[in-house]
Amino acid sequence: MTSRSVPEYRVSLPKELVADLAQRAAALPEWRLGDDGLLSPETAARYHGVLAGLPRLAEFSTTCHQLLSAPEGEGFAVLELAELLDATDSEEAGLRAVTALVSLIATPLRAFDRRPLWQPLSTNLAITPMHIDVVNSTLPPDYIAQLCVRPDPRGQVHSLISQVRRAVDRLGYADAELLTHPRYVDRSSFELTGVGEEWQPFPILDGLPPSEGFVRFTANLLADADPADPYIKAARALERELIVGQRRFPLGQGDLLIANQHLCCHGREALGGGQEDVPEDERRLLLQIFLRGQARHVAPPEVVA
């Protein structure tokens, strides 16, 4: 699945799998979502029926699960899907093929009611600091996936990933203890489905094991905050460790970044200069989807007041 000439987190599709899936892409139905925001069981079953018997599909799925879920691993993968997208008959068929593939890893979820399942990400020029998505809910998405439709024509922009559990382990006891207190507030989100209830204020460390809990960090917590506040100091200490441990890499056309939010924070560097001279339909374009590892509905864990 991978070779020694590429980073271990990059996963290519076997050519025979690309060819067969591209031929079957037209048979994939448009996705339908349930009232819980998740891909409907009927759509998932039809996707899996179309994918059944494809060559080396089980090997591909196993590789992805190992990269994304191993507690001692990095918690992310970059799937190289450019050949698949080029081989399908249309952009719509290509996106359905990608959706079917990721449904083997986890269930697609539309958390924001007013946004599409695959939502275009903002082309804000500034850096996007480390964070997890939907941080202020009782049940954030288990995974995020970002499909690079067009890379930045000005170049230089890199995606950022940091293994957040290792960052926490490098903190001193005092800082880590402060992060267990529900003293952190992010901007409110409205009209969400499938992510539990809004949780304000919340702790950064929820006390649950990595397979269940999250490190609820976002740099938004630090904006306009009192730098002398010990809770903010502790969050900044975590941010420093995230930066120390971050990995940076470009996303090329057709690359799909998948990050396990139980293990990773993600962000990106600033876009290259001169964006105002690039026509809007030629600027960098990423499409993002949320994924649910399993349908779970939980109340907030008890935390220290």
Side-chain angles (χ1 to χ4, degrees):
M1 300 301 297
T2 59
S3 72
R4 294 182 181 180
S5 62
V6 297
E8 70 282 358
Y9 58 80
R10 296 192 71 90
V11 181
S12 60
L13 290 181
K15 291 188 178 299
E16 58 269 40
L17 176 54
V18 170
D20 283 11
L21 180 53
Q23 288 182 350
R24 298 191 190 188
L28 293 167
E30 294 185 9
W31 51 75
R32 294 183 180 276
L33 305 178
D35 293 339
D36 55 4
L38 293 166
L39 187 73
S40 72
E42 295 78 13
T43 303
R46 292 186 64 185
Y47 282 175
H48 297 170
V50 172
L51 296 179
L54 286 177
R56 301 180 65 185
L57 187 66
E59 178 186 351
F60 166 78
S61 178
T62 298
T63 298
C64 292
H65 280 291
Q66 288 173 343
L67 287 172
L68 293 169
S69 302
E72 70 282 1
E74 300 299 325
F76 77 99
V78 176
L79 313 187
E80 299 174 345
L81 305 181
E83 290 186 12
L84 172 63
L85 295 173
D86 289 342
T88 52
D89 293 335
S90 66
E91 291 182 3
E92 292 76 12
L95 196 56
R96 287 199 300 272
V98 175
T99 307
L101 277 179
V102 299
S103 75
L104 298 175
I105 299 169
T107 305
L109 165 69
R110 185 187 64 190
F112 291 89
D113 297 343
R114 293 190 177 185
R115 300 180 188 176
L117 181 63
W118 286 91
Q119 53 180 316
L121 293 185
S122 168
T123 54
N124 187 345
L125 303 185
I127 187 173
T128 301
M130 286 292 179
H131 66 285
I132 71 166
D133 282 331
V134 202
V135 66
N136 57 342
S137 69
T138 56
L139 190 60
D142 294 309
Y143 304 90
I144 63 96
Q146 297 176 353
L147 177 65
C148 181
V149 178
R150 290 191 303 270
D152 178 13
R154 297 302 188 193
Q156 304 305 313
V157 66
H158 287 72
S159 292
L160 305 172
I161 289 284
S162 192
Q163 220 280 16
V164 69
R165 299 290 173 172
R166 293 181 194 152
V168 170
D169 288 343
R170 293 193 296 268
L171 292 174
Y173 172 81
D175 285 332
E177 197 278 331
L178 288 171
L179 298 180
T180 65
H181 294 248
R183 298 297 182 94
Y184 300 94
V185 177
D186 191 24
R187 53 178 174 264
S188 291
S189 300
F190 301 94
E191 298 179 310
L192 297 173
T193 299
V195 291
E197 304 296 328
E198 185 173 13
W199 192 4
Q200 303 268 28
F202 57 87
I204 291 178
L205 303 182
D206 59 21
L208 295 173
S211 60
E212 300 176 25
F214 297 87
V215 179
R216 288 175 166 78
F217 179 81
T218 171
N220 293 338
L221 304 174
L222 308 177
D224 302 320
D226 179 2
D229 184 332
Y231 295 98
I232 296 303
K233 286 183 176 180
R236 287 204 177 276
L238 175 57
E239 182 184 43
R240 288 193 294 270
E241 293 300 334
L242 288 170
I243 293 171
V244 167
Q246 76 183 13
R247 301 182 69 162
R248 56 189 296 275
F249 47 86
L251 290 180
Q253 185 173 7
D255 283 348
L256 179 72
L257 166 65
I258 306 180
N260 182 340
Q261 291 212 121
H262 297 274
L263 299 177
C264 291
C265 286
H266 64 280
R268 68 159 173 81
E269 295 176 344
L271 297 181
Q275 295 291 322
E276 64 278 0
D277 298 326
V278 178
E280 187 171 349
D281 61 356
E282 296 179 12
R283 294 175 185 170
R284 184 179 193 255
L285 175 61
L286 296 185
L287 300 179
Q288 177 167 285
I289 192 172
F290 298 123
L291 303 170
R292 175 66 66 210
Q294 54 181 325
R296 291 180 295 157
H297 301 278
V298 298
E302 293 187 9
V303 294
V304 180

